[in-house]
Amino acid sequence: MIEAISTLTNANLTRSPAWQASFSIDGKYLAVCFGNPNTHVKIWQCCKTSQNPNTTGKVIEKETEEWKLLATIQDDDTSGHTRSIRSVAFAPTAISYDVVPILATASFDGKVLIWEYCHDEDEDDDLMQTKDPDNYSITNNNNEPTSTSSYFEPIAQLEGHDNEIKDLAWNTTGSLLASCGRDKTIWIWECFLPGTIGGVESSNTMDYTTNNNDDGEAFECLAVLQGHDGDVKSIAFGPSHNQWGEGEEILISASYDNTIKVWAEEAGDWYCAMTLGEDSSVPQSIPSSSSSSSGGGIVHTSTVWCIAFAPGGVRFFSGSDDGSMAIWKLYTATERKKLFSKEQMMMVVSSTDGLWKCVGKLPNAHSSYAVFSIDCAPTRAGHGRIASAGGDNSINIYREESVVRSGNGGDGDAASSDDAPKFSLEDVAVDAHDGDVNCIKWHPNGRCLVSCGDDGAVKLWRYIR
């Protein structure tokens, strides 16, 4: 089950909606972007404190976590965005003394900005001299910063999109950043920032105009991908498993054209390896339904709002405006040739390519309302739950049914398998927000989640098995 822990920003329907959230790779930082009329980004830091809950006199320390507002990026900041900020994403770089948090933001102004965390220790010292050290806090009673000693500074600006950018995605090493938008394109940038492959050792003394690639740039555009017939709404990097091209990773994209595309890299060039949209047999992925075909045809009949890889990258999930969630499985080239007919393999570009196939569907994941966000719990969580958020104002937690084989004391029709997974709705946070829930994200520890809504609220939730 999930239970509310705290509300970082309260609901206020007359203010800016909270669009998207991102945790840093170590889970210490949380960034959320807000739209118009007061578009901005808030960044929180997780502060751990020790308490002694024992009343017997015996010292028993208990560590608690509290999220403190660290900084706010306003749309009127120097070199900032000029229109609504739609996406935020922390670079997956190891955060240490030498490598500080790097945040990417994307806006309807068509720009991607890269921000570096800065901390003025001299200002902290001045504040400590004027405050009671025992009661010193980085925030006031309204959870707003009490000083400007912590802030994010823009260090790079990426341009190329004709108009609104809808989503951002880093690859697992932080060496690639992708953006997508209303112009129906996807831009892939190579990154040379600290902590990434090809980046420099430290950012403390780094000159971003001289210590990067051969041309002195922190980012270099590798590809502009075109092929969707509508706005590109969501993108995600995943492992290629040596099934497409020469690269170690693939990129999947979801669009207003109701399809999902798979992009791969070959000899330095990115190409469309597959277009996913139609399938001759799509099983229902709810235990109460048989595993027979749901009628086949189009997987999603409307905009595909979101996509999310499961840990390991051999499965991903998609959510649509038609109210459904689809489960896609990777089949290797060898498996594809053994299991599927030539007609089913017509979508494959090369004979050596693998195949993504829809192996299950939750037709009414959010009571026929749009599914806006999906996230899979990280491997370290150990529970494999899937979280989704939708237009019914709710958050759903799904668990996969145990694999039970026919003839082994179980109901074969209700069993879950890789080729026909079954999911049960484990818990629902009804009316989690006063409006659409735009984003749901698992914390890297898999024990809690953050949600953002049209009501402008940002909420933390605890997952209890």
Side-chain angles (χ1 to χ4, degrees), residues 7 40 396:
T7 300
H40 62 285
N396 292 352

Side-chain angles (χ1 to χ4, degrees), residues 52 65 93 112 126 130 139 182 187 226 234 260 266 292 297 300 306 327 348 405 437 446 452 464:
N52 182 15
E65 294 182 349
T93 52
V112 175
D126 293 339
T130 60
T139 60
R182 185 180 177 185
W187 288 62
Q226 303 181 60
S234 182
I260 299 166
E266 179 81 33
S292 60
H300 292 302
C306 55
I327 303 99
V348 178
R405 304 298 182 187
V437 186
C452 306
I464 303 172

Side-chain angles (χ1 to χ4, degrees), residues 103-216:
L103 180 69
T105 60
S107 166
F108 281 4
D109 62 12
K111 296 185 296 185
V112 175
L113 290 180
I114 310 299
W115 305 79
E116 180 188 40
Y117 173 62
C118 300
H119 187 74
D120 190 338
E121 294 183 357
D122 292 337
E123 183 172 338
D124 271 352
D125 292 340
D126 293 339
L127 284 170
M128 287 294 289
Q129 293 176 6
T130 60
K131 292 178 179 286
D132 178 0
D134 293 333
N135 296 316
Y136 175 69
S137 173
I138 62 174
T139 60
N140 59 23
N141 292 334
N142 295 321
N143 202 31
E144 297 291 338
T146 56
S147 75
T148 57
S149 61
S150 297
Y151 59 96
F152 279 75
E153 180 179 34
I155 57 174
Q157 178 173 299
L158 313 181
E159 297 185 5
H161 285 279
D162 293 336
N163 38 48
E164 292 101 322
I165 300 177
K166 302 295 183 71
D167 196 20
L168 292 169
W170 295 91
N171 68 344
T172 55
T173 63
S175 60
L176 297 178
L177 174 64
S179 59
C180 64
R182 185 180 177 185
D183 60 5
K184 307 175 187 178
T185 68
I186 302 162
W187 288 62
I188 299 178
W189 305 83
E190 187 172 13
C191 172
F192 299 93
L193 291 175
T196 66
I197 295 177
V200 297
E201 293 293 329
S202 171
S203 65
N204 288 347
T205 59
M206 180 177 178
D207 181 352
Y208 286 94
T209 64
T210 60
N211 293 326
N212 300 289
N213 65 2
D214 294 338
D215 296 324

